[in-house]
Amino acid sequence: MGSALAEGFFAHAVVLVEGRGDGGVITGCAERSGINLGADGISVIEVHGKDNLMISDALFSALGVPCYVVFDGDLGMEDRKRESVRHLIPEQRQEKERAFERQARTNRTKNSNLLQYLGAAPTPQPSDDSTGRYTVFEDTLETYLDQHWPAWEERRQELVRTGGGIDGKNAATYLETTRTVAAEPPFLLHALLENARALAGRRPPTRRVADHAVTRPESIDDTAVALRP
């Protein structure tokens, strides 16, 4: 993580993401809209997990570099793990399930602590949201894309199938998928990008998008965000 962090020391702002692929989606959304994050002085930095978001943010903030945080709420983590052990005998499965319950409780505590650190209400299980300081996906980025941008996963699979991408969480494949998928990205990704650029002084921030039905603007260059209660 050290070399990645060094990249942000001279940036106008940094976007901190948890893991592989997240930065590819963010950079791809920017590129398809004609935005060069590097030219704007914005570095997207992978910190390898939720545990490292706060300390990375604190480090850059101490150096005077504004930070934008992107993280997963991991709502479905416990259910996915339970499904993965259904084939085990009952004794083994129950032991694993107890461990999964503990992990889920720990994750909810991490969500609350991180949101409180970022100046928001300490919510254990946040919904999809984008503010001037952070963007959170209720479960994971991938499940959000499945639900709100299904063409993205179709394009990713096409790239893997034709040899133009690598299966699994791969930053280069996520980038190429995002750049080349025909359908437009959902609004939350536009809001993430604009809020991050605002932190670097490049754009005014969008209005908060949680708990509203949102109509995506015609262009990412429109700062007026259409909301309806």
Side-chain angles (χ1 to χ4, degrees), residues 85 87-98:
V85 298
H87 64 285
L88 298 178
I89 61 174
E91 293 81 1
Q92 292 177 330
R93 186 175 67 248
Q94 289 166 9
E95 181 181 355
K96 293 281 188 181
E97 288 175 343
R98 285 192 292 270

Side-chain angles (χ1 to χ4, degrees), residues 57-149:
D57 184 278
L59 173 62
F60 283 116
S61 296
L63 295 171
V65 181
C67 291
Y68 194 80
V69 175
V70 180
F71 69 102
D72 296 334
D74 293 312
L75 175 65
M77 177 182 66
E78 183 177 357
D79 288 342
R80 284 190 294 274
K81 290 191 172 185
R82 284 178 178 272
E83 184 64 26
S84 71
V85 298
R86 284 186 60 185
H87 64 285
L88 298 178
I89 61 174
E91 293 81 1
Q92 292 177 330
R93 186 175 67 248
Q94 289 166 9
E95 181 181 355
K96 293 281 188 181
E97 288 175 343
R98 285 192 292 270
F100 298 155
E101 289 174 6
R102 291 192 296 271
Q103 291 170 7
R105 286 196 298 270
T106 298
N107 181 69
R108 289 191 290 270
T109 299
K110 289 178 181 179
N111 287 340
S112 292
N113 291 343
L114 180 56
L115 286 167
Q116 186 172 36
Y117 169 82
L118 293 169
T123 307
Q125 200 59 71
S127 301
D128 295 327
D129 195 6
S130 186
T131 76
R133 187 70 169 87
Y134 66 87
T135 291
V136 58
F137 299 100
E138 182 177 56
D139 186 17
T140 67
L141 170 62
E142 287 78 11
T143 55
Y144 177 83
L145 294 176
D146 284 345
Q147 294 169 9
H148 300 280
W149 202 11

Side-chain angles (χ1 to χ4, degrees), residues 36-51:
N36 185 322
L37 293 178
D40 281 354
I42 300 172
S43 294
V44 182
I45 297 176
E46 176 190 336
V47 301
H48 304 286
K50 193 178 297 181
D51 290 338

